[in-house]
Amino acid sequence: MRFRHPDGSTVHLAYCTNVHPAETLDGVLRQLREHCEPVRRRLGRDRLGIGLWLARDAARALVADPAALRTLRSELDRRGLEVVTLNGFPYAGFGAERVKYRVYRPDWTEPERLGHTTDLARLLAGLLPDDEPEGTISTLPLAWRTPYNAASERTARRALTLLAQRLDALQDLTGTSIRIGLEPEPGCTVATTADAVTALGGRGRPPSHRIGVCLDTCHLATEFEEPGPALDALTGAGIPVVKAQLSAALHAENPGREDVRAALAAFAEPRFLHQTRTRTRAGEVTGTDDLDEALGLPAEPPARSEGAGSPAPALPTPVPTPALPTTGPWRVHLHVPLHAAPLPPLTSTLPVLRDTLTRLVGGPAPLTRHLEVETYTWQALPPELRPRSRARLAEGIAAELCLVRDLLTDLGLKELP
């Protein structure tokens, strides 16, 4: 979806296809047919942007066979889809039954990450619409925080510098500008925008405008960052927001109450990592690597029944004593659907998304032109909240895009055909 900003520039809105995991090129082509095109049709649009996720094997197949890349480009055009941004964070295995910490490997200290990101940049240059000269790729924020030391930092910085040089060469060859955004995420080496300023704006910053930040509004909210000061700090340090991912975290206002913790326990699941944070009365943000740890639950919650209409498993009664302080609200890194707030006593951090979007595109000039809805956790929600068919999933994704479309038009942007 395209929007005209009051300054005359075009702002792109897409949704990320990592919600439909596919490891191979055949799987990606099937995504376009079974998921992406139906979302476009539900929206009544002739053209829909998608933030394409290309796993390692799919990317390698496309790089090795130029005819395959032409086929993918043709399929996008035929189905009314366009790509200006890629999600380069997950490397492989994002559809596995257990992802957790594996999503952070390989990191920017490992050559595989540089190679994969270089491949993605070359592919994106061949997938961009003819009238769009710039593409963006989000990537992991250097590495998980452990183990990471001064030697790791030097290695990662060298890799980013080499990547920037390759992107310069790619533009010389193709005329296309590709930029990379480190995506701050709780628990990582770059967990907050302040960490991004230190990593990219401090001494030894990679000497290129190619490297910036992908701002994820779920991650921003989970770390209790305020959108205004966060964006002011990035702007002041000269760090571009190359891309923004629009997502909402789970919010629990009163985690000291047993019913609130019981509601949270329904979201603890074994597939993805759900970093949980709270802000103490002294203003310090502290947390755990996963929701079950914060709640004091066993590390492996009971398996959930997948049968239609099956009741959710019984919750522990009483809920065990939490390991995280309950004197302030909790926020959980769990991308909940934007258009459907969790049932009380829980809420979402949608207000943080709204405030961030206002700062990003509500001013005289947009701070970023690439926006991506990224709710990849539909099938990790409690069973009663999961879509039971492809049609229901398409309906939910379309509803999320409609919500963001309305927010953009309220900010004065005009939806384009």
Side-chain angles (χ1 to χ4, degrees), residues 31-249:
Q31 282 179 351
L32 305 184
R33 179 180 69 251
E34 295 182 353
H35 296 288
C36 302
E37 186 177 10
V39 171
R40 178 184 65 77
R41 292 185 181 279
R42 282 189 174 273
L43 290 166
R45 304 283 307 174
D46 293 332
R47 175 173 53 186
L48 175 66
I50 58 172
L52 196 61
W53 175 57
L54 295 173
R56 173 200 57 200
D57 291 347
R60 287 179 178 174
L62 290 166
V63 168
D65 185 358
L69 182 60
R70 291 193 294 271
T71 297
L72 175 57
R73 173 67 184 267
S74 176
E75 279 295 288
L76 289 166
D77 292 341
R78 186 165 75 89
R79 300 190 183 281
L81 306 169
E82 66 178 9
V83 175
V84 301
T85 189
L86 299 180
N87 187 332
F89 195 135
Y91 178 75
F94 202 59
E97 291 185 3
R98 186 176 178 86
V99 179
K100 297 289 185 181
Y101 295 94
R102 296 176 186 175
V103 75
Y104 306 108
R105 300 291 303 276
D107 59 35
W108 277 102
T109 69
E110 300 171 276
E112 293 85 358
R113 176 60 62 174
L114 174 61
H116 179 60
T117 308
T118 302
D119 285 346
L120 293 180
R122 292 169 177 161
L123 295 173
L124 182 55
L127 293 175
L128 286 173
D130 293 337
D131 62 347
E132 181 54 53
E134 180 179 291
T136 57
I137 302 172
S138 50
T139 188
L140 84 162
L142 300 185
W144 187 251
R145 68 182 185 276
T146 56
Y148 195 83
N149 53 32
S152 304
E153 182 179 356
R154 290 192 294 271
T155 301
R157 194 174 297 280
R158 284 195 298 268
L160 289 178
T161 300
L162 181 54
L163 175 66
Q165 294 168 353
R166 291 178 178 179
L167 296 179
D168 286 340
L170 182 64
Q171 182 166 13
D172 291 341
L173 180 66
T174 66
T176 298
S177 173
I178 305 295
R179 296 194 296 166
I180 307 298
L182 303 184
E183 182 184 331
E185 176 166 315
C188 291
T189 301
V190 177
T192 65
T193 56
D195 294 335
V197 169
T198 299
L200 298 178
R203 181 173 56 85
R205 175 185 176 187
S208 175
H209 66 285
R210 302 267 178 210
I211 312 295
V213 164
C214 169
L215 194 66
D216 186 298
T217 57
C218 170
H219 304 170
L220 188 78
T222 300
E223 287 286 355
F224 288 87
E225 291 197 78
E226 297 295 334
L231 286 166
D232 287 345
L234 291 172
T235 301
I239 299 172
V241 180
V242 303
K243 169 181 174 179
Q245 289 177 327
L246 307 179
S247 54

